[in-house]
Amino acid sequence: MSGTFVGMPAFPAAARDAVRDTTLRGNLRHATHTIRAKRARAVAELDDWERLRQAGKRIKDRTLRHLDRYLVQLEESVTAAGGVVHWAADADEANRIVSELVKATGETEVVKVKSMATQEIALNEALEAQGIHAYETDLAELIVQLGKDRPSHILVPAIHRNRGEIREIFAREMGEWGRPAPEGLTDTPADLAEAARLHLREKFLRAKVGISGANFMVAETGTLVVVESEGNGRMCLTLPETLISVVGIEKIVPTWQDLEVFLQTLPRSSTAERMNPYTSMWTGTTDADGPRAFHLVLLDNGRTDTLADEVGRQALRCIRCSACLNVCPVYERAGGHAYGSVYPGPIGAILSPQLRGTGSEIDASLPYASSLCGACYEVCPVAIDIPEVLVRLRERVVEGGEAVRDGNRVRLRPAKGHAAERAAMRAARWALTRPGALRTGQRLASHTRRLHPRTLPGPGKAWSGTRDLPPVPDEPFRDWWRRTRGGKDGGA
C-alpha cells in the first residue's frame, strides 16, 4: 500500500489537535448523527436484516477462501467479453499500468468515478507526475480536490466541511480547474450542486478516458458494478472511449445471486436508501454502446498478506458502506484526517495497518484508536468483528509490529519492544497465581492509599494524563468478605 498522508503524526497526536477544532467537531457531530439515524430507520424496515447480514458474511468468507479460483474465473469472463485484465502487485505497479494505458490513448485528461482504491494508491498524483490531469466528478470528491484537501470519510469525503466553506472553495478555485462558479453563488445546497453540475458537464463531454473503481465484480460473467447517488458515475462509465477500472481483488463475488444480497444491504447501510439511484453494470465492451476499450486492473497491494491472517482477513469483507464511522465515538470527535489514511474510522484502524504493516508510528497507533465499545460490529452489514481484529493487531504491535508468513498461516515476529508492558504482565501473572502474595499486596495498597499519586509516573502518563487513577478502597475485598461472611475466604 502507498504511504501515509505526508507528514502525518501518530493517531494520538493528530487526534489531540483535531478535538480542539470546534468547527470540525460540530460538522462531524451533525453529519454522523443525521446519517446514522436515517440508516437505523432504513434498516428497521427489513424483518430479515440480520439474515441478510449473515448471508453477506458467509458469501464473503466463502469467496475469500477460494479467492484464487474466483479471480481466474473473473479474468476469463472479462477477457471473453472483450476486456483486458492487468494484475498489479502493489501501488507502483498499478500506477504504472494506468499511466501507460492513458498515455497510449494520447489523452492528457481523465474523468474519475469516486474510488477508494485509486486514492489508496495515490493514482491522481502518479498521473499528474506523467502530465495527466485527473478530474474527480463525485461532488464530495470535487470539494476535496478543489480545496487541495484530503478525504475524511469513506462515503462523504468532505464531511468535515460545512456549506459556507464549500461555497468559498467553489468561488475561489473552480475557475482554475475549468468553468468558474456562477456570480453571486450562495451556500444553499441547490446552488452548490448546480455550480458543480455546470463545472463538470464540460469535462464529461470532453473526456475520452474514464477511470473508476467498482463496488463488486461478478466472477461468473465478468460484470463490474458501481452503485452511486449522483449520476456522475454513469457519465464517466458510458461517455469516454476508454474505461480503466482499478479494483481490489477482494471486491469479487461468485454469482449474480450473491450480488442480490449486497444490493440490499449496501444502500441502506451507507446512504440509508432502500435502493441507490444509480446502479451501473458493464460486462466487457460492445460495438454499439459505451467505451470501445475496457481495462481492468486487479489490485493486491497488501491484500494477499491480509488474507493469510485468520483473524485479520475478515477486514476484506468490507463493502465500504461507512456505517462503522457514523457510530464510532472516536471518529466523531477526531475526524478522518487523524487516521492518516484514505480509510478512516474503525475499518481504517484495522485495514490500513494490515495493508501497510505496523512498522510506521501511525500504523502502530491505529489499532489503539478505539474504545472497543463494539458499536461498529453491531452496524456492520457483513458482520466484521472490528474489536476482535483491533485486539489482534494490538497483539501484533506489542509482539514486535510485523507478521511473518509461515506456510499458509501468519505468525508474529518475536518481540523487540514494549519491555515495560511485558514486565508488568509477568508481575501480574506472578501475583495472581499466588493468593497469599496478592492478599498482602492489597492490604499494603489500602494502608498506604493516602500516599498514592493521582497520575502514573514515566510511561504510565500516557494513560493517566487524561484520567484519574481509581481510588484504592479502605479495605481489600478479601478482608471485607472474610469479615462479613463469618471468616470464610471463599477459597481465594
Side-chain angles (χ1 to χ4, degrees), residues 235-381:
M235 301 284 276
C236 292
L237 296 169
T238 57
L239 291 179
E241 297 175 358
T242 299
L243 175 61
I244 304 168
S245 298
V246 182
V247 190
I249 56 176
E250 81 281 14
K251 293 297 188 73
I252 196 169
V253 295
T255 69
W256 275 86
Q257 185 175 3
D258 298 325
L259 184 63
E260 176 191 1
V261 173
F262 301 108
L263 292 183
Q264 295 182 73
T265 56
L266 178 55
R268 290 178 186 267
S269 283
S270 57
T271 56
E273 296 170 300
R274 297 181 180 93
M275 182 177 180
N276 50 285
Y278 296 92
T279 301
S280 298
M281 303 182 182
W282 69 99
T283 306
T285 61
T286 62
D287 294 332
D289 187 32
R292 293 197 292 268
F294 169 57
H295 297 269
L296 172 59
V297 181
L298 291 172
L299 178 68
D300 187 326
N301 207 33
R303 287 160 174 79
T304 299
D305 291 335
T306 302
L307 184 63
D309 189 312
E310 293 181 353
V311 175
R313 70 174 58 155
Q314 59 186 299
L316 297 178
R317 292 186 209 143
C318 178
I319 57 175
R320 309 292 192 265
C321 71
S322 78
C324 62
L325 280 69
N326 300 323
V327 299
C328 178
V330 176
Y331 174 85
E332 180 184 323
R333 289 158 179 79
H337 291 157
Y339 293 83
S341 167
V342 298
Y343 301 111
I347 187 62
I350 65 170
L351 187 58
S352 298
Q354 294 192 89
L355 296 181
R356 301 190 302 210
T358 52
S360 70
E361 185 180 12
I362 190 167
D363 288 312
S365 72
L366 287 178
Y368 298 90
S370 170
S371 65
L372 300 180
C373 68
C376 49
Y377 171 65
E378 295 299 326
V379 299
C380 178

Side-chain angles (χ1 to χ4, degrees), residues 136-201:
E136 299 289 350
T137 63
D138 174 83
L139 177 56
E141 292 287 358
L142 175 65
I143 294 166
V144 169
Q145 186 175 49
L146 292 178
K148 302 176 179 64
D149 204 349
R150 298 189 302 268
S152 62
H153 192 277
I154 289 176
L155 177 67
V156 194
I159 196 172
H160 57 290
R161 297 291 193 183
N162 59 40
R163 293 184 305 179
E165 293 172 317
I166 295 169
R167 189 205 68 80
E168 291 178 5
I169 291 171
F170 280 8
R172 183 180 67 247
E173 300 292 340
M174 272 188 170
E176 297 296 321
W177 290 74
R179 179 169 177 159
E183 291 291 335
L185 177 66
T186 73
D187 65 356
T188 62
D191 281 358
L192 294 174
E194 178 67 5
R197 187 187 71 81
L198 295 173
H199 177 81
L200 292 171
R201 181 54 60 95

